[in-house]
Structure formats: structure tokens, C-alpha cells
Amino acid sequence: TNDAGDDKTGTATQCECLVNEYVGSNVCKPCDAGYTRLAGDDPDSVDTACTTCAANYFADGIGACQACTGARTNDAGDDKTGTATQCECLVNEYVGSNVCKPCDAGYTRLAGDDPDSVDTACTTCAANYFADGIGACQACTGARTNDAGDD
């Protein structure tokens, strides 16, 4: 692509590859699924490669991007040629036996648990639930409310 406005009597300009395209044999080609690349490669220059993992993919530590499984997520930007990264559990999920599982009604948990690590638990009360003082979150009744965050 090239933005409008080049003056045909001025300096030579060129078209560039789009976002998620790389240069191969002087042609802009689409990145494979799971990979990204910034726009701007010059197809008349050297070959390039898509080396950044897309959202919900992780770097496997041996040169590739792999898809997150189940309810796991990962932000885009991991370098496939770098250190291995991981996918994490979503908000309101905990780790049980290396699996991201949803919190029970009335409980919350921040995103970011590593399902390949230790088990975690949802211990914070959700909005409109309160800590009952004996280890549980109870629903507010009637028109009563409570902010999330009790534990």
C-alpha cells in the first residue's frame, strides 16, 4: 500500500506490505495463522518473516507460535525466537489440576493464573455478595448491594 499524495515529479516512492504481511521473493505475503508483523516492509528489499505471536498464541521456546488451548489467553507480541511463554487463565477463572476453571457464582479472581503451575482458588466476593465471616460469600438480599472485593 501507499498513502495518497505522492508527487509524480518528486522523489521516487514505493508501496509497502500491510500489517500481517512479510516479504518473500519480492512479494508481500500473508503471515501464517498465529503470527503477526507490523506494516511497512519494502517488497523490493530483503526477505522478512513473521516472528511475533498473535493474540492467544504463545512462543513455544523452540521457534514457533502455538495456539492457546481451552480458556487460556495470551496477549500478542511474544517473539517466537525468544524464551518460551505461556497462556493464562481469564478473569474469574482459577487453576484446578492444570486446567482453567470458572469461579463459582459469587466469587471472582483476577486474570493471569498459570495453569501449568500450582492450583489456585476464587476467594474474593463478587459484586452484590459479601463475606459471611466463616469463609464464604453470600448474596445480598432485597435491594441491598455490595462492591466486589470482600474476602
Side-chain angles (χ1 to χ4, degrees), residues 56-151:
N56 300 321
Y57 284 76
F58 67 98
D60 65 7
I62 56 173
C65 296
Q66 302 292 331
C68 295
T69 58
R72 299 176 186 187
T73 64
N74 193 33
D75 292 334
D78 293 346
D79 182 350
K80 77 171 188 171
T81 63
T83 305
T85 59
Q86 66 193 24
C87 298
E88 302 172 334
C89 296
L90 300 171
V91 68
N92 297 330
E93 291 184 335
Y94 69 98
V95 175
S97 301
N98 300 104
V99 176
C100 297
K101 299 179 178 184
C103 294
D104 290 336
Y107 294 86
T108 64
R109 184 158 186 88
L110 296 175
D113 286 347
D114 175 4
D116 297 320
S117 189
V118 299
D119 285 357
T120 60
C122 301
T123 58
T124 304
C125 296
N128 299 320
Y129 284 77
F130 66 96
D132 66 5
I134 56 172
C137 295
Q138 301 293 329
C140 295
T141 58
R144 295 180 181 169
T145 63
N146 191 33
D147 292 335
D150 292 350
D151 34 58

Side-chain angles (χ1 to χ4, degrees), residues 33-56:
Y35 296 87
T36 64
R37 184 160 184 88
L38 296 175
D41 286 346
D42 177 1
D44 295 323
S45 189
V46 299
D47 285 356
T48 60
C50 300
T51 60
T52 304
C53 298
N56 300 321

